[in-house]
Amino acid sequence: MLLSLVLHTYSMRYVLPAAVMMGTAPTYVLAWGAWRLLSALLPARFYREVDDRLYTIYQSMVLFFFENYTGVQVIIYGDLPKNKENVIYLSNHQCTVDWIIADMLAIRQNALGHVRYVLKDGLKWLPLYGWYFSQHGGVYVKRSAKFNEKEMREKLRAQMKAETPMYLVIFPEGTRYNPEIPKVIADSQSFAEKEGLAILKHVLTPRVKATHVAIDTMKDYLDAVYDVTVAYEGTVDHKGQRKLAPSMTEFLCKECPRVHIFIDRIELKDIPEEQMYMRRWLHERFEIKDKLLIEFYDAKDSKRRNKFPGKSVHSKLSLKKTLPSLLFLGGLTASMLLTESGRKLYVKTWIYGTLIGCLWVSIKP
């Protein structure tokens, strides 16, 4: 009985946040949908401005749970500018929380509403979220030979034409680094060796296509590229071997005490334009990431482990930036659920919103 109570208490650590974040999604989609219809006759930039503000509200609520609720310490290294910029954000990829890390940095630059993702194609089928991410400026891409360069360029050009602020998040590895699936790591290392590239230990060999298309298409629109390296503390077992990075559920259960983020701001003039040379440049950036992570996980001196080299700042997110969004969205959702007509609208939004979204993304990229 005691064990059951402990397990129940543990599960409640993530059930409540997950219920609120998922539960407010229909409310958010209804608000966004109303604005989408009202703004149909207005210039695209007006729609984007309000859409970005709405997205800021929702993601601020998400960050309330992932930062304020969990109490995780966010340690930042390197040169994160205080002001918002049009950027491409390149990061190593190891778990779903990596998406939230981009939000953590963006909110500290007052650019949270500008975050847009390059995502693998299968995620477009997520109920409500998949459709909305596309509407917000996200780009869905297929891997390898199925990658559609023309579609991606057209979508990015449309964003630039609408003067959309850009905080475009790309994970060049194409899939997550998972120590529990050694075959993926081995295949990545074999490919690097075959291509005459340095073999990487703590990251996968990056793919250049999406990065090249994004930089090449927006080179006159961007201010910089952020090269971001992320490490989650507590992901080494008793033998000193790297473990799987925390899932969103584990993160919300407060299993990650600190997250370390190293940012290197790169000027566009320092990046080769041709894809062949950019591929080499991108691999060199991932070599730098690998060295940082080797220091973090494998340093011989135990005092140098669990941190990146150089100066760091413990950055705490104020409740003023997150709690109002939680109260606003939570209040709207609760008021909807208090009436019978509101509950019917809520359920219909989940059902029909999902069906319309799936139909939309199957027709339009």
Side-chain angles (χ1 to χ4, degrees):
M1 183 176 178
L2 181 60
L3 179 60
S4 298
L5 180 62
V6 170
L7 291 173
H8 177 71
T9 303
Y10 178 84
S11 67
M12 285 303 293
R13 286 171 138 185
Y14 72 85
V15 169
L16 177 61
V20 174
M21 287 185 283
M22 294 287 289
T24 54
T27 310
Y28 178 82
V29 169
L30 281 171
W32 167 78
W35 170 242
R36 191 72 171 112
L37 291 173
L38 287 171
S39 65
L41 299 177
L42 298 175
R45 66 183 181 86
F46 288 108
Y47 161 70
R48 285 296 177 200
E49 285 177 7
V50 176
D51 176 54
D52 283 358
R53 289 182 184 275
L54 289 172
Y55 189 73
T56 297
I57 292 172
Y58 187 83
Q59 292 302 113
S60 295
M61 178 196 69
V62 170
L63 285 175
F64 168 83
F65 290 110
F66 277 90
E67 280 207 58
N68 303 118
Y69 170 79
T70 63
V72 65
Q73 292 183 30
V74 177
I75 315 297
I76 297 177
Y77 307 73
D79 47 1
L80 180 68
K82 293 182 180 179
N83 300 321
K84 61 184 75 174
E85 301 181 285
N86 286 324
V87 301
I88 289 176
Y89 170 114
L90 303 175
S91 176
N92 58 315
H93 192 26
Q94 52 205 308
C95 62
T96 50
V97 183
D98 294 334
W99 293 13
I100 307 299
I101 300 300
D103 288 344
M104 290 179 179
L105 293 182
I107 197 172
R108 286 163 169 82
Q109 296 177 275
N110 293 315
L112 184 55
H114 304 168
V115 175
R116 309 172 210 284
Y117 298 95
V118 173
L119 301 160
K120 62 183 179 182
D121 192 64
L123 293 174
K124 68 185 182 184
W125 305 110
L126 285 172
L128 298 185
Y129 292 95
W131 177 35
Y132 176 72
F133 281 148
S134 176
Q135 295 295 301
H136 184 64
V139 182
Y140 289 106
V141 296
K142 295 179 180 178
R143 295 174 182 171
S144 304
K146 295 181 179 180
F147 178 81
N148 193 320
E149 178 178 327
K150 182 181 177 182
E151 280 185 4
M152 184 173 179
R153 285 189 186 275
E154 287 177 353
K155 183 139 195 179
L156 293 176
R157 284 173 184 145
Q159 301 297 330
M160 291 189 292
K161 185 177 180 181
E163 300 179 6
T164 304
M166 190 59 64
Y167 203 103
L168 187 65
V169 178
I170 302 176
F171 300 111
E173 290 159 286
T175 191
R176 298 176 216 162
Y177 179 98
N178 186 344
E180 295 180 359
I181 310 179
K183 185 180 184 304
V184 172
I185 299 172
D187 288 347
S188 174
Q189 292 173 340
S190 295
F191 176 78
E193 185 176 21
K194 180 182 175 183
E195 296 295 313
L197 301 168
I199 295 173
L200 307 173
K201 181 180 180 182
H202 286 293
V203 290
L204 302 177
T205 303
R207 306 172 188 219
V208 75
K209 285 183 179 179
T211 302
H212 177 259
V213 170
I215 293 176
D216 185 60
T217 304
M218 300 192 294
K219 58 189 173 187
D220 297 324
Y221 192 74
L222 298 171
D223 296 304
V225 168
Y226 293 172
D227 184 9
V228 179
T229 306
V230 180
Y232 299 93
E233 203 165 317
T235 51
V236 174
D237 63 21
H238 66 283
K239 295 180 180 179
Q241 298 297 310
R242 186 173 171 185
K243 299 190 301 182
L244 187 63
S247 65
M248 286 189 175
T249 298
E250 291 166 338
F251 200 93
L252 288 170
C253 286
K254 308 182 182 183
E255 292 191 11
C256 178
R258 282 170 289 276
V259 57
H260 298 256
I261 311 169
F262 193 103
I263 306 103
D264 193 358
R265 183 184 184 278
I266 302 169
E267 297 283 350
L268 270 294
K269 63 181 178 61
D270 296 326
I271 303 174
E273 292 188 10
E274 290 188 30
Q275 181 170 321
M276 179 177 66
Y277 297 113
M278 190 181 291
R279 179 193 184 201
R280 176 72 62 176
W281 169 85
L282 184 61
H283 196 86
E284 289 172 355
R285 295 309 309 180
F286 269 72
E287 285 182 58
I288 294 171
K289 291 180 184 297
D290 202 43
K291 289 175 182 176
L292 287 169
L293 292 168
I294 287 171
E295 181 80 4
F296 188 91
Y297 291 113
D298 306 328
K300 292 181 179 179
D301 184 351
S302 59
K303 293 180 181 179
R304 289 164 53 191
R305 289 181 210 145
N306 290 319
K307 61 182 178 181
F308 290 132
K311 293 182 180 180
S312 64
V313 175
H314 175 202
S315 180
K316 190 172 183 179
L317 183 61
S318 171
L319 277 169
K320 293 179 182 179
K321 289 195 171 186
T322 58
L323 185 58
S325 296
L326 171 65
L327 297 175
F328 176 71
L329 282 173
L332 278 180
T333 304
S335 62
M336 182 184 297
L337 295 175
L338 285 174
T339 65
E340 184 177 352
S341 59
R343 289 191 291 272
K344 287 181 179 178
L345 179 61
Y346 181 88
V347 173
K348 287 179 179 179
T349 301
W350 264 118
I351 296 172
Y352 295 118
T354 299
L355 292 175
I356 292 170
C358 288
L359 179 63
W360 182 273
V361 296
S362 67
I363 297 172
K364 194 170 182 178

